Amino acid sequence: EVQLVESGGALVQAGGSLRLSCRTSGFSYEHYAVGWFRQAPGKEREGVACISSGLGDTYYADSVKGRFTISRDKAKNTVYLQMNNLKPEDTAVYYCKAASYLNGDYEYWGQGTQVTVSS
């Protein structure tokens, strides 16, 4: 079955960096896109970054462009989110999601990992 497990969240000071990992199983990057989402207290969950199925094109929310980088390692079955120059407004629970629409709609979520950025 499809599984996603996030790790790497921590408490970090503003200006610092973190790398989140999403260890995946049960699917191929050929057919599934993987994205990072976050949800801050009192706010709706928002998309942060996405890497497409197949070729692996990347997309970013305007709020994180130039600071965050999404990547994947096929051999390790892991998708990463490198976060640099962190700001207090980046504080949220970060989730990874896998999605495929080749034969119906299939969406899977990880459990989330907490990122807290102090000023």
Side-chain angles (χ1 to χ4, degrees):
E1 66 178 88
V2 171
Q3 289 190 316
L4 303 94
V5 181
E6 302 98 327
S7 62
L11 172 64
V12 62
Q13 290 192 346
S17 297
L18 286 173
R19 188 177 75 163
L20 305 183
S21 297
C22 177
R23 284 166 281 186
T24 65
S25 62
F27 67 93
S28 170
Y29 297 145
E30 179 181 357
H31 300 299
Y32 280 77
V34 179
W36 285 96
F37 295 74
R38 67 187 182 188
Q39 187 164 23
K43 295 186 177 181
E44 295 184 348
R45 189 171 298 186
E46 63 175 343
V48 174
C50 178
I51 186 162
S52 71
S53 61
L55 270 54
D57 297 324
T58 58
Y59 306 87
Y60 299 93
D62 288 342
S63 59
V64 307
K65 284 182 179 178
R67 299 189 298 121
F68 290 11
T69 303
I70 188 171
S71 62
R72 68 189 184 193
D73 187 326
K74 182 179 178 180
K76 295 182 178 180
N77 289 319
T78 301
V79 177
Y80 302 97
L81 184 67
Q82 178 67 47
M83 305 185 295
N84 298 326
N85 191 25
L86 283 161
K87 304 176 183 295
E89 51 262 45
D90 295 319
T91 294
V93 178
Y94 284 71
Y95 302 87
C96 62
K97 172 189 176 183
S100 175
Y101 306 99
L102 289 177
N103 189 23
D105 295 350
Y106 295 90
E107 299 179 344
Y108 304 91
W109 292 89
Q111 83 291 344
T113 185
Q114 176 71 50
V115 172
T116 302
V117 184
S118 62
S119 60

